């Protein structure tokens, strides 16, 4: 009855709305990170088709055959292995950022801050720490990707594909990686906003709890 209505009212508060935005941003970062990782890639030789190689992003192509095809496959695999640790780290961080606001939403629905107002101060500190930590994490993510794109493996791979007339294999950040960086910046701002809302709600709860004593 009334208890359930009070719990549902939390989802209409500014802090809950901000936390739901954080969930959305974390989910988008997770998707962009998985796209950055991509798949193993590479041209897979199909003996049944003679000298035709199949590229899993686009279909069957006859531009590579023999030694060139094997070299393209090797470069794709090495390039994928270079990006894999970065993408996995980004996905792990995004997964943690996805779980964190979900837990806080559950805590708010259960009215823990009302019974234990100091929780809001703890929540504020956690948000500030995460917001500050997001900036070096983004720097590491983009710096590591640029190091991979500046590697000899990527350069040789780019030249090999360009020699066969294929486009889209440039050694530069692509849209999903740039989007992940921008979403990370938005998430950091959302965390700072949530920290401010937590302090505001702490003052509100503290004042409401003092009223019966004053009366």
């Amino acid at each position: 009855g009334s208890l359930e209505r009070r719990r549902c009212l939390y989802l209409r508060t500014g802090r809950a709305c901000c936390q739901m935005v954080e969930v959305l941003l974390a989910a988008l970062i997770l998707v962009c990170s998985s796209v950055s990782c991509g798949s193993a890639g590479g041209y897979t030789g199909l003996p049944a088709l003679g000298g035709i190689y199949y590229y899993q992003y686009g279909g069957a192509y006859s531009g590579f055959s023999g030694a060139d095809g094997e070299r393209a496959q090797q470069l794709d695999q090495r390039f994928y292995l270079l990006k894999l640790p970065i993408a996995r780290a980004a996905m792990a961080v995004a997964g943690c950022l996805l779980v964190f606001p979900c837990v806080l939403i559950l805590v708010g629905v259960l009215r823990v801050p009302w019974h234990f107002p100091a929780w809001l101060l703890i929540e504020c500190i956690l948000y500030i720490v995460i917001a500050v930590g997001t900036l070096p994490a983004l720097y590491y993510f983009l710096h590591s990707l640029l190091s991979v794109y500046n590697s000899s493996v990527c350069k040789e791979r780019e030249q090999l594909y360009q020699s066969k007339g294929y486009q889209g294999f440039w050694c530069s950040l692509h849209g999903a990686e740039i989007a992940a960086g921008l979403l990370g910046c938005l998430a950091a701002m959302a965390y700072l906003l949530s920290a401010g809302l937590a302090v505001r709600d702490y003052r509100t709860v503290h004042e409401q709890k003092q009223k019966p004593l004053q009366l």
Side-chain angles (χ1 to χ4, degrees):
S2 60
L3 178 61
E4 293 298 328
R5 287 195 296 270
R6 286 198 298 270
R7 289 177 175 178
C8 292
L9 284 176
Y10 172 76
L11 299 178
R12 300 170 57 183
T13 63
R15 200 164 90 255
C17 292
C18 197
Q19 289 166 350
M20 287 186 280
V21 170
E22 292 162 11
V23 172
L24 176 61
L25 291 174
L28 292 176
I29 294 174
L30 182 61
V31 171
C32 292
S33 300
S34 63
V35 171
S36 174
C37 177
S39 55
Y43 279 82
T44 304
L46 300 178
L49 299 179
I52 298 178
Y53 286 80
Y54 179 83
Y55 189 65
Q56 62 182 12
Y57 290 128
Y61 295 94
S62 58
F64 289 94
S65 61
D68 286 341
E70 294 178 0
R71 185 57 180 166
Q73 185 178 16
Q74 293 175 0
L75 290 173
D76 275 338
Q77 292 174 350
R78 291 174 60 187
F79 180 70
Y80 167 74
L81 292 176
L82 287 176
K83 292 184 66 177
L84 184 60
I86 306 169
R88 283 182 174 176
M91 292 170 65
V93 172
C96 293
L97 295 180
L98 180 62
V99 172
F100 178 66
C102 291
V103 172
L104 293 183
I105 291 174
L106 178 61
V107 169
V109 170
L110 296 177
R111 295 174 58 82
V112 172
W114 173 257
H115 301 289
F116 183 56
W119 168 259
L120 291 170
L121 298 180
I122 298 174
E123 183 177 317
C124 174
I125 294 173
L126 291 175
Y127 268 124
I128 293 175
V129 170
I130 294 175
V132 173
T134 300
L135 299 179
L138 287 175
Y139 172 80
Y140 173 79
F141 174 69
L142 297 175
H143 178 73
S144 300
L145 285 175
L146 290 175
S147 298
V148 172
Y149 288 128
N150 291 328
S151 65
S152 58
V153 173
C154 184
K155 298 296 183 182
E156 183 178 354
R157 177 175 177 266
E158 180 183 30
Q159 292 175 0
L160 181 60
Y161 279 114
Q162 286 183 348
S163 67
K164 300 299 181 179
Y166 293 113
Q167 304 296 323
F169 299 91
W170 298 289
C171 293
S172 59
L173 297 173
H174 60 68
E177 294 161 349
I178 296 173
L182 295 176
L183 290 170
C185 294
L186 292 176
M189 291 188 288
Y191 300 145
L192 292 177
L193 178 59
S194 291
L197 292 175
V199 173
R200 184 202 65 179
D201 290 351
Y202 171 79
R203 292 175 179 173
T204 302
V205 172
H206 183 71
E207 291 175 358
Q208 290 180 354
K209 281 182 170 290
Q210 291 298 322
K211 285 181 180 180
L213 295 178
Q214 294 173 0
L215 293 175

